[in-house]
Amino acid sequence: MARQSSNTWWQRNHLQCWRYPDLPTKKELIYRVFRAAYPHGAFVDDNLKLVELRDKDLVWQDLEAEFAKASEDLDAFLKHLFAEEPRLRGKENKQQIVREYYVALLAESRYALYVSQNGRYFEFRTMEELLVRYRQVDEKTLGGLPPKIIPFTLAAGFGFAIDHLESSEASKVKILQRRVKALESQDRYA
């Protein structure tokens, strides 16, 4: 059966939401928020070329607006996901955990950007640049360790960005991610 399309922020911005139980990462969401607000880059484009100099407060307002749109569309997106994904259909426990995951993902991602924009301009810019570098290494998930192509990862704001792009093992996002995977493996072996 072909999946029906739903026109939510999540689908319009091409988050890899249909890979359940592999859920979108914080890096992936932040990258998509940047590209939703600035398709050709807020500070750097997808080829790592600097774009026009922008006021970081205006960039933050545009990113904040994208987070608001993602939040508004979350219920419609999840309703569609729960109806289309056979492993979630009619399973209230799993649906609740997935809902909590997306709410926590939005909150953690927004906070990471909020902290970076409160710092120096360069720390905010390096957040986008590092995401582009991650994407060049692993376009599908923006996952993994910091790319080896950044020899100066701990200098000039990159260390700050790396720390805030990764969810800690004790974060709600990581805990819920592990719960989803545990439930899926229980169902597989049941």
Side-chain angles (χ1 to χ4, degrees):
M1 179 174 137
R3 293 182 188 221
Q4 297 176 355
S5 180
S6 172
N7 192 18
T8 67
W9 183 94
W10 299 84
Q11 280 94 7
R12 284 191 310 272
N13 290 291
H14 311 289
L15 252 81
Q16 302 298 320
C17 301
W18 299 115
R19 294 186 323 239
Y20 180 85
D22 294 328
L23 301 167
T25 64
K26 185 159 76 166
K27 288 181 277 194
E28 184 180 7
L29 178 58
I30 293 172
Y31 174 80
R32 295 301 176 183
V33 166
F34 265 112
R35 287 303 171 262
Y38 295 95
H40 302 291
F43 304 110
V44 296
D45 67 12
D46 284 339
N47 295 318
L48 293 172
K49 292 184 179 156
L50 292 175
V51 296
E52 68 182 80
L53 189 61
R54 291 188 169 94
D55 179 84
K56 76 174 188 168
D57 293 330
L58 293 176
V59 171
W60 171 244
Q61 288 173 7
D62 293 339
L63 298 177
E64 184 79 323
E66 290 302 323
F67 275 114
K69 290 174 193 172
S71 263
E72 286 172 19
D73 282 358
L74 186 59
D75 284 336
F77 162 71
L78 289 173
K79 182 178 176 184
H80 187 70
L81 178 66
F82 298 156
E84 292 291 319
E85 176 55 55
R87 292 175 284 189
L88 292 171
R89 200 175 302 131
K91 298 189 173 143
E92 296 293 323
N93 186 31
K94 283 186 187 178
Q95 290 178 6
Q96 183 58 35
I97 293 170
V98 169
R99 180 178 306 283
E100 286 177 35
Y101 176 84
Y102 278 97
V103 169
L105 180 67
L106 274 168
E108 270 192 36
S109 300
R110 186 197 169 282
Y111 181 73
L113 275 176
Y114 174 76
V115 169
S116 74
Q117 69 85 31
N118 263 343
R120 296 177 307 219
Y121 181 87
F122 192 72
E123 291 170 346
F124 195 27
R125 187 188 70 75
T126 57
M127 183 76 75
E128 183 182 30
E129 182 178 338
L130 187 59
L131 287 166
V132 170
R133 290 179 187 272
Y134 273 109
R135 187 170 184 270
Q136 289 175 340
V137 172
D138 185 3
E139 186 172 336
K140 289 183 182 173
T141 63
L142 289 164
L145 298 171
K148 301 284 189 256
I149 54 177
I150 307 174
F152 46 90
T153 54
L154 298 179
F158 281 96
F160 176 86
I162 289 168
D163 289 344
H164 286 85
L165 285 173
E166 294 291 338
S167 295
S168 72
E169 288 301 314
S171 74
K172 189 169 185 175
V173 166
K174 285 285 190 181
I175 291 167
L176 291 168
Q177 196 174 45
R178 286 191 298 268
R179 284 180 64 194
V180 165
K181 293 207 186 260
L183 284 173
E184 283 306 316
S185 57
Q186 286 173 1
D187 282 357
R188 191 174 6 171
Y189 296 113

